[in-house]
Amino acid sequence: MEVTKKLQKLSLAALIISLLPLATFVPVFLKITLPDGVRMVWAICNIVLALAGLLLSVVCVKNEESRSAVNIMSTVISVALVLMITGIMVLALFLNFG
């Protein structure tokens, strides 16, 4: 019982962490141009948050008792973000060295 409550809180944290990289769109919609240093820090934070969200989501989904729609949704969002980040990195490598 206690473990399930802890995993529910962890799954909510995983969902919030998974959604935080989407805050990148706020300056885009407001047409704000960020300096290069801020963009670099923001990109690193997005990568770390996407990986942390994926790790937390997998921990929550792995336990069959605590599996819920929130866990599955956070896992899907995290996997999509990690795949997108990986694709951007691979594309950047091919464009720089190709």
Side-chain angles (χ1 to χ4, degrees):
M1 199 69 171
E2 186 177 315
V3 174
T4 307
K5 285 195 177 230
K6 286 183 182 179
L7 285 175
Q8 285 176 347
K9 290 180 183 179
L10 190 63
S11 68
L12 184 60
L15 180 63
I16 291 170
I17 290 173
S18 298
L19 291 175
L20 280 177
L22 298 177
T24 304
F25 294 121
V26 172
V28 172
F29 291 140
L30 297 176
K31 296 183 181 182
I32 298 172
T33 304
L34 300 173
D36 289 338
V38 174
R39 282 191 296 194
M40 178 66 102
V41 170
W42 199 314
I44 291 170
C45 287
N46 282 340
I47 292 169
V48 169
L49 287 171
L51 291 174
L54 180 63
L55 179 69
L56 289 174
S57 298
V58 167
V59 166
C60 292
V61 169
K62 196 167 78 169
N63 189 351
E64 197 170 311
E65 295 173 358
S66 71
R67 201 171 294 162
S68 67
V70 173
N71 293 340
I72 294 169
M73 192 167 55
S74 66
T75 304
V76 168
I77 292 169
S78 296
V79 167
L81 287 172
V82 169
L83 285 175
M84 187 170 54
I85 289 170
T86 305
I88 290 170
M89 291 172 127
V90 168
L91 182 65
L93 284 173
F94 279 135
L95 291 178
N96 284 334
F97 296 115

